[in-house]
Amino acid sequence: MNRVMRLGSLALVGVIGLTGCGSSTDSNDPLADGVLTVGMEADYAPYNWTTNEANASEYAYPISGSDALADGYDVRMAEALADELGVELEIVKMSWDGLIPGVQSGSIDAIIAGMSPTEERLQQIDFTDAYHEDDIDLVVVVNKDSGYADATSLDDLAGANISAQTGTFHTDLLDQIDIADDSTAPLPDFASLIQATASGSIDGYIAESATAEVQVANNPDLTIVDVSDEFVLDPSQTTSAIGVKKDTGLVDDLNGALGTIDNDTRNEWMAEASAMSQE
């Protein structure tokens, strides 16, 4: 679907949104309504972010119920999968904590949002094969004026007030840092973490390096402490997969569509999204 057709579909997406996101006629076939309704934060570059037409790539797609567009790797992947499945695409912007409940309730059909298929999440929803695999580097973002800006190891961060995004495996990694006893509880999104770090109310937060690079590029008061070699990760935390409601046929449908996109193409899409998100 070309850019003109996608932007022209905004009116259609709005109508779909008014009738209820992901409102399929068959609970065991989420695509029975001819629409793949995808939820994402649209605030997690380079995977997904919110933009406008002036700054959008040719793959940007309307956000349901909004004048804004979603862009990034996840958006491009969602479009390719919807095309392969022969259905329309609807993108719904949701809070991170709302994504799994959204799939469980049927308000969205799938989560394409850089989500890892951790054991805890597998108890709640099903996941496809990985749609992106990477050697994830975890870093800590701090204020440039912080006393921790020159840290080179997790030991150097001892006593710091470090936070992470609620509902992500990053919160599990806080145990690997000897953080202050009164450290701030995890915050709901990266916007909150960035603001808290910039204002000095926290010393920093954990992020994937690709995401951190975008955030630092857009927030000159911040800098990256590269401790990527020190975090110990579970293999399930280094992949991104698509989350869907349990016990439907959508996993098989999406896995079949994913099989048509080779790894070289996926890596190329991610590299292009990463470059654009830092412009």
Side-chain angles (χ1 to χ4, degrees):
M1 188 184 295
N2 62 39
R3 178 166 169 75
V4 173
M5 290 177 66
R6 283 199 300 273
L7 295 178
S9 69
L10 182 56
L12 173 61
V13 171
V15 171
I16 294 170
L18 290 173
T19 58
C21 299
S23 53
S24 173
T25 58
D26 182 350
S27 61
N28 289 322
D29 181 9
L31 302 183
D33 58 356
V35 180
L36 175 64
T37 304
V38 172
M40 61 181 65
E41 280 185 291
D43 189 28
Y44 186 48
Y47 287 90
N48 54 77
W49 67 87
T50 301
T51 189
N52 53 45
E53 187 170 355
N55 298 305
S57 75
E58 62 180 303
Y59 302 102
Y61 201 91
I63 295 173
S64 181
S66 168
D67 292 331
L69 305 173
D71 210 341
Y73 177 77
D74 289 336
V75 176
R76 193 165 182 179
M77 179 63 68
E79 291 182 64
L81 296 175
D83 285 347
E84 181 64 26
L85 293 169
V87 296
E88 294 291 332
L89 174 64
E90 179 184 15
I91 291 182
V92 179
K93 182 174 181 176
M94 306 180 71
S95 69
W96 179 263
D97 284 346
L99 290 171
I100 288 178
V103 158
Q104 291 174 320
S105 69
S107 63
I108 57 174
D109 298 324
I111 300 167
I112 306 182
M115 183 175 282
S116 301
T118 62
E119 286 298 324
E120 180 179 358
R121 292 173 184 149
L122 283 166
Q123 300 302 313
Q124 301 172 299
I125 59 176
D126 287 338
F127 281 92
T128 65
D129 298 335
Y131 72 91
H132 181 66
E133 298 183 71
D134 202 357
D135 294 328
I136 294 178
D137 291 329
L138 273 296
V139 299
V140 176
V141 178
V142 301
N143 193 299
K144 277 186 175 179
D145 295 330
S146 164
Y148 298 99
D150 294 328
T152 59
S153 69
L154 293 181
D155 287 342
D156 292 338
L157 295 173
N161 183 347
I162 304 297
S163 188
Q165 185 183 19
T166 305
T168 69
F169 73 87
H170 300 171
T171 62
D172 298 331
L173 301 179
L174 292 171
D175 290 340
Q176 298 182 32
I177 306 174
D178 185 16
I179 57 177
D181 291 339
D182 60 348
S183 278
T184 302
L187 297 176
D189 50 47
F190 275 111
S192 301
L193 290 165
I194 290 169
Q195 182 179 11
T197 302
S199 68
S201 60
I202 64 173
D203 292 314
Y205 61 90
I206 296 173
E208 294 177 25
S209 60
T211 302
E213 287 170 6
V214 175
Q215 294 167 345
V216 168
N218 293 321
N219 297 275
D221 291 335
L222 306 182
T223 190
I224 292 173
V225 172
D226 187 358
V227 288
S228 54
D229 291 338
E230 299 197 27
F231 282 115
V232 179
L233 301 179
D234 184 273
S236 68
Q237 298 169 336
T238 64
T239 63
S240 297
I242 301 171
V244 301
K245 188 175 182 178
K246 279 189 171 293
D247 302 323
T248 71
L250 191 51
V251 165
D252 292 337
D253 291 339
L254 288 170
N255 278 338
L258 282 170
T260 68
I261 308 171
D262 61 55
N263 285 331
D264 287 344
T265 298
R266 299 183 195 191
N267 291 335
E268 178 184 334
W269 290 355
M270 179 57 83
E272 291 175 357
S274 296
M276 184 171 184
S277 64
Q278 296 183 53
E279 290 179 354

